[in-house]
Amino acid sequence: MATLFVIGTPIGNLEDITLRALRVLKEVDLVLCEDTRMTARLFSKYDIATPKMSYHAQSKLSKSDKILALLEEGKNLALVSDAGTPCISDPGSLLLAQVREKFGDAVVIVPIPGPSALITALSAAGISVAEFTFLGFLPHKKGRETLFKEIAASSRVMAFYESPHRIEKALESLEKFCGADRGVIVARELTKIHEEFVRGTATEVRAHFTQNPDRVRGEFVVIVEGRI
Ligand code: SAM
């Protein structure tokens, strides 16, 4: 019976990888990567020589067919993304659905847990995160205003991913829709040299980035406290 391992990999600091992930990456027949060059850095640090093949959101159906054929042959595969946990705002879900549809329980899908930017940010946010809603990446246009209204009305913690190009716009919208006093936490460059947590009101957090344009860089997780 073939196995497809879904493996969490570091979100910045290459030491954030489990012993089990390293062992399985060495043992499988092939590793499916979002970008093989990104995964090559991890492989180089840990002397992993397993063959790699790219699998990303734009991959053609023929690529999926090839992967399904390998599983049918009994090959054990691993799926990784560029950073963090596959399928969490990353490619993989479609492939897993195809594997389940074609093989049912004849191919075992095994998660090997590792970091995710979402959980890493929430874990050190310093607020109660017993319950939260994750929004992934916010839509750029259609539905964006509706979503900000939902965030504003929610008494539950909301979290989303944001790019450096859109973070200032997102903070502006949070201030506009949620009000100046709503609690916001921005987690930037987690596990990397310039890691920072900016905590404050929507106005304070926005001002921090307006006044420090050099920090409008890198990768961001935005956490919005619930309405009191
Ligand atoms: N699958 C990944 C995970 O489990 O975290 C998320 C992939 S998603 C394509 C990439 C987004 O995750 C970035 O735009 C950013 O919002 C967030 N992210 C990834 N790494 C991060 C980091 N080191 N610090 C802060 N946010 C990060």
Side-chain angles (χ1 to χ4, degrees), residues 11 83 85 88-90 116-117 137 161-162 190 192 219-221:
I11 56 169
T85 301
I88 308 297
S89 298
D90 256 343
S116 174
F137 286 102
Y161 286 159
E162 197 49 276
L190 290 163
K192 303 185 200 175
E219 303 192 276
F220 299 83
V221 181

Side-chain angles (χ1 to χ4, degrees), residues 14-17 22 26 42-48:
L14 289 183
E15 291 181 0
D16 294 332
I17 180 126
L22 291 175
K26 286 180 182 169
L42 184 72
F43 277 27
S44 156
K45 181 165 173 72
Y46 293 105
D47 293 323
I48 301 171

Side-chain angles (χ1 to χ4, degrees), residues 136-168:
F137 286 102
L138 303 185
H140 290 186
K141 290 200 175 91
K142 198 164 179 281
R144 189 173 169 88
E145 189 168 323
T146 312
L147 209 48
F148 273 106
K149 285 182 182 160
E150 272 177 40
I151 295 172
S154 174
S155 52
R156 188 171 276 163
V157 170
M158 297 273 200
F160 57 91
Y161 286 159
E162 197 49 276
S163 74
H165 315 291
R166 308 193 62 82
I167 186 72
E168 288 181 290

